[in-house]
Amino acid sequence: MEVVKCMNPQTKKRKKNPLPEGQFYYELGTCSKNNDLAGAIALYETAVSQNLHLNHNHYNILIYLCSSSFPDLGSPEAVDAVENPAIDKGFSIYNQMLGKGINPTEATITAVSRLAAAKGDSDFAFELVKTMGEYNAVPRLRTCGPALFAFCHKIEAEKAYAVEDYMVSLGIHLEESELAALLKVSVETGNQEKVYSYLHKLRNCVRCTSVKTSEIIESWFSRKFSLEVGCLNWDENRIKAVMLKNGGGFHGQGWLGEGKWVVSRSTVSSEGCCCNCGQRLDCVDIDRVETEKFADMIASLAMKREAKSNFSDFQAWLDRNSNYEAVVDGANVALHQQNFADGGFSISQLEAVVKELYETSQRKWPLIILHNKRYRSLSADPSNRKILDWWRAQGALYTTPNGSNDDWYWLYAAVKLKCSLVTNDEMRDHIFEFLGSSFFLKWKERHQVHYTFVKSNLRLKMPPSYSLVIQESEKGSWHVPIEGEFADESSRKWLCVTR
C-alpha cells in the first residue's frame, strides 16, 4: 500500500515564499556561478536597504566577485586596475563587513589583498596578510601572492623578498609563478646573487619551465649585468665533489667562467648530450642527506605498520648483506600479464629478469624480495624449489615474514643501498602517499627499472640517461628544459647557455 505523505500547509507556503535571506543567498550563489558582478551588487544593495542579516559567506562571495573582475598581477594579462570601480566597491563591502563585527576569513583576506594590489597599494596588501593572526586565520600561498606579485610588478625588489621570507617562515612553498616573478624582478634590478638563487629554487620546484619562465631566464643572460658575474679560477675537484654530493646536475657554488653568455635553443639526444654544445647532461639523483632521510622515513613507517613482522630484523640483515646493485620486486615481475585462464606466478619471468641483471652487472646477483607465503607455495614444486634454493644459496633471495607487506622491504632496500629497483609498480598506492614529494619522483626517475615481455622475450627499460630538470655544469654552463608537447623527448626544446 502506498503511503502518501501530507505536507504541512505552512511548510508548503514557506517553500513557495522563502525567507528573504534564503532567497538572497540563492540568487547571490547564482551570480557567483555566472560571474555576474553587476547582478550581485544590485542584490547586495537591495539586501542593505531591506536590512537583511548577512553572514561572512555572503560577504566573501561579494568581495571575491569584485576581486576577480580583473587579471592577477601574476598573470600575463596583468595591468594596473586603479580605475576599476569594482575595487572601491569591494573595499566598501569589506568595511561594511568589519563594521558589522564579522571577522574576515582567509578567503576574505585573499580577495581584499587582491583588491589592494590591483589598486596599487601593495603595502596594504601585505599588511592585511600579516594581521590575519588577529582573526585566527592562516595565510596560504594564494593569500600572499597578491602582495608578492604587486611588489614584483612595481620593481620593489626588497619588499618582494620580504614577502618571500615571510612565506618561508610560515612553511609556505612557493611555486613556479611566484619564483618566476621574483626571478624577473631580480633580473631587472641586476641582483646577480638573487638570480642565481632563484634559478636553483626553480630547479627544485619544476622539472620543465614554462615558456614565460624560460624567457625570463634567457633575458638575464642577455643583459650587461650578467657579463660581470663569474670567475676564471676555481677548484675543479671541489666543484666535482659538491656535485657528486648533491646527486649531480648542479653545484650551487656561484657563477663560473667569464665573458659573454651565448644562449641558443637546442635539443638533447637519447644519450643525454646537448646537440648544440655537446655537453652530457646528468641523471640527477637525490643527494646523500635526502637519501638517508628517505630511507629512515620508510623504515619508521614500516616498523609502525609491520610491527608483527619485526622489520628491524630486515634492516639488520641488510646491513650485513649490502653488496647489491639491483633489487627485484619478485611478485610484480612474476605476476606480470598473468591474468589469463592458466596464468599464475611465473617463476620463469622472474628467472629471466634475475639472469639478465646478473649478466649485465659483471656477474653480481640482484636482491629478490619475495613474500614467505609465496615462497612456500612455490616450493611445493620441485623444479621451482631448486631455483629458489639456488638463489638463496647465492644470497640473492630474501623472503618477507607472514603478515608483512613486501612493498616496504623492496622499497627500503633500493633506497638504503642506493641501487636500481626492478618493478612496474608506479607506487601510487595509499602506502606511498607520504612519499608524494618532488624528491620521491626524482628518486623514481633515477632508480626505477621498468620491464616488459614481448613474445616471452624480456626487455628492461633502464632509467633515462639524463634528467629533465634545470642543470648547471661543473664548467658553469646551464641547460633549461622548456614545457611543451613533443612526439618524444629528443624533440623537446632546451635553453643552452654557455660562455
Side-chain angles (χ1 to χ4, degrees):
M1 179 178 175
E2 185 180 357
V3 178
V4 179
K5 292 184 179 180
C6 295
M7 184 176 286
N8 186 304
Q10 289 297 109
T11 304
K12 191 173 182 180
K13 185 176 181 181
R14 279 202 303 271
K15 285 186 177 290
K16 283 188 176 180
N17 302 293
L19 294 174
E21 286 85 357
Q23 184 64 26
F24 168 73
Y25 187 65
Y26 172 78
E27 291 180 0
L28 184 62
T30 301
C31 289
S32 179
K33 289 178 183 177
N34 297 330
N35 203 27
D36 180 7
L37 175 60
I41 296 300
L43 282 171
Y44 169 69
E45 291 174 347
T46 300
V48 170
S49 68
Q50 295 177 352
N51 202 29
L52 297 184
H53 173 72
L54 306 185
N55 60 32
H56 73 273
N57 286 325
H58 301 132
Y59 285 111
N60 278 352
I61 291 173
L62 289 159
I63 297 169
Y64 169 77
L65 283 170
C66 290
S67 72
S68 61
S69 62
F70 43 82
D72 267 320
L73 287 176
S75 70
E77 305 82 21
V79 292
D80 292 320
V82 179
E83 302 302 323
N84 193 317
I87 296 176
D88 291 334
K89 194 65 184 178
F91 275 114
S92 172
I93 294 170
Y94 175 63
N95 290 328
Q96 287 273 356
M97 177 183 182
L98 296 179
K100 295 288 184 180
I102 299 174
N103 285 343
T105 64
E106 180 274 329
T108 318
I109 298 297
T110 297
V112 178
S113 185
R114 289 189 75 238
L115 293 170
K119 191 175 182 179
D121 194 350
S122 38
D123 290 304
F124 181 58
F126 190 26
E127 285 304 315
L128 278 168
V129 176
K130 291 190 286 187
T131 58
M132 287 176 67
E134 299 174 14
Y135 308 109
N136 294 318
V138 179
R140 294 164 57 182
L141 178 66
R142 68 176 189 175
T143 324
C144 302
L148 178 69
F149 289 127
F151 286 133
C152 291
H153 189 68
K154 294 167 70 175
I155 321 298
E156 294 183 304
E158 294 305 320
K159 290 182 178 181
Y161 301 148
V163 178
E164 181 196 14
D165 290 341
Y166 184 73
M167 294 169 76
V168 171
S169 73
L170 296 175
I172 298 172
H173 296 284
L174 281 71
E175 295 180 355
E176 182 178 5
S177 56
E178 289 78 23
L179 292 173
L182 287 160
L183 174 64
K184 185 177 181 182
V185 77
S186 301
V187 168
E188 292 175 348
T189 55
N191 192 327
Q192 57 96 0
E193 290 183 1
K194 286 291 187 180
V195 170
Y196 188 82
S197 173
Y198 289 124
L199 280 173
H200 281 291
K201 289 178 181 181
L202 275 167
R203 73 177 302 282
N204 286 322
C205 174
V206 298
R207 288 163 63 81
C208 297
T209 63
S210 67
V211 172
K212 178 185 174 184
T213 302
S214 69
E215 290 171 349
I216 296 170
I217 294 172
E218 185 172 6
S219 72
W220 162 252
F221 291 106
S222 63
R223 297 199 177 205
K224 65 176 183 179
F225 294 119
S226 70
L227 300 177
E228 301 166 4
V229 303
C231 62
L232 272 179
N233 301 309
W234 62 87
D235 187 336
E236 293 184 5
N237 291 329
R238 182 172 179 274
I239 294 293
K240 288 178 180 178
V242 172
M243 291 187 74
L244 181 63
K245 182 181 177 182
N246 290 343
F250 79 104
H251 53 76
Q253 302 301 295
W255 305 104
L256 302 181
E258 284 186 347
K260 182 180 179 181
W261 296 94
V262 179
V263 184
S264 59
R265 292 290 195 280
S266 183
T267 55
V268 176
S269 71
S270 58
E271 292 77 27
C273 292
C274 173
C275 296
N276 181 58
C277 69
Q279 180 193 317
R280 188 179 185 86
L281 301 187
D282 283 344
C283 191
V284 180
D285 204 348
I286 58 176
D287 64 37
R288 292 173 183 174
V289 174
E290 284 181 319
T291 300
E292 290 302 321
K293 286 182 179 178
F294 190 16
D296 291 343
M297 189 192 310
I298 297 166
S300 176
L301 280 162
M303 283 189 280
K304 288 178 184 176
R305 303 192 186 192
E306 301 281 303
K308 294 180 181 179
S309 68
N310 294 321
F311 188 79
S312 56
D313 289 348
F314 176 62
Q315 289 181 283
W317 182 90
L318 203 61
D319 287 339
R320 298 190 303 270
N321 302 271
S322 58
N323 192 28
Y324 299 101
E325 294 181 357
V327 175
V328 181
D329 176 3
N332 183 271
V333 172
L335 292 172
H336 179 68
Q337 295 182 336
Q338 294 298 306
N339 54 340
F340 54 90
D342 296 324
F345 194 93
S346 174
I347 199 166
S348 63
Q349 289 185 173
L350 183 53
E351 189 177 20
V353 168
V354 172
K355 183 179 179 182
E356 179 72 12
L357 292 171
Y358 177 74
E359 291 179 350
T360 57
S361 62
Q362 297 181 337
R363 305 174 74 79
K364 288 189 70 173
W365 289 97
L367 173 60
I368 310 153
I369 301 293
L370 202 59
H371 197 283
N372 187 53
K373 185 178 178 182
R374 188 77 66 182
Y375 172 79
R376 288 180 177 276
S377 174
L378 289 168
S379 295
D381 183 315
S383 61
N384 289 343
R385 185 174 185 85
K386 183 178 179 181
I387 296 170
L388 294 169
D389 287 348
W390 172 247
W391 287 342
R392 193 183 284 281
Q394 306 310 311
L397 178 64
Y398 186 92
T399 54
T400 64
N402 293 338
S404 67
N405 184 337
D406 52 0
D407 290 3
W408 293 111
Y409 292 77
W410 49 253
L411 180 60
Y412 175 77
V415 173
K416 182 67 177 177
L417 302 182
K418 304 176 183 64
C419 61
S420 58
L421 171 64
V422 182
T423 182
N424 281 349
D425 189 330
E426 290 304 327
M427 294 167 263
R428 298 191 184 101
D429 193 278
H430 66 279
I431 75 164
F432 299 113
E433 285 179 359
F434 75 99
L435 303 172
S437 59
S438 61
F439 74 80
F440 177 50
L441 297 176
K442 193 190 296 180
W443 181 87
K444 279 179 61 179
E445 179 187 57
R446 177 68 181 86
H447 293 270
Q448 186 173 8
V449 177
H450 292 84
Y451 63 87
T452 187
F453 290 91
V454 180
K455 296 181 179 179
S456 298
N457 294 315
L458 170 66
R459 291 182 184 175
L460 294 180
K461 183 181 179 183
M462 304 306 288
S465 55
Y466 65 97
S467 292
L468 211 58
V469 66
I470 296 174
Q471 299 204 22
E472 174 191 34
S473 82
E474 61 187 56
K475 295 191 181 298
S477 62
W478 292 80
H479 287 84
V480 181
I482 304 172
E483 268 184 352
E485 295 295 327
F486 303 99
D488 55 69
E489 279 304 319
S490 63
S491 303
R492 180 177 298 281
K493 296 298 181 186
W494 289 67
L495 285 184
C496 169
V497 186
T498 58
R499 292 187 117 153

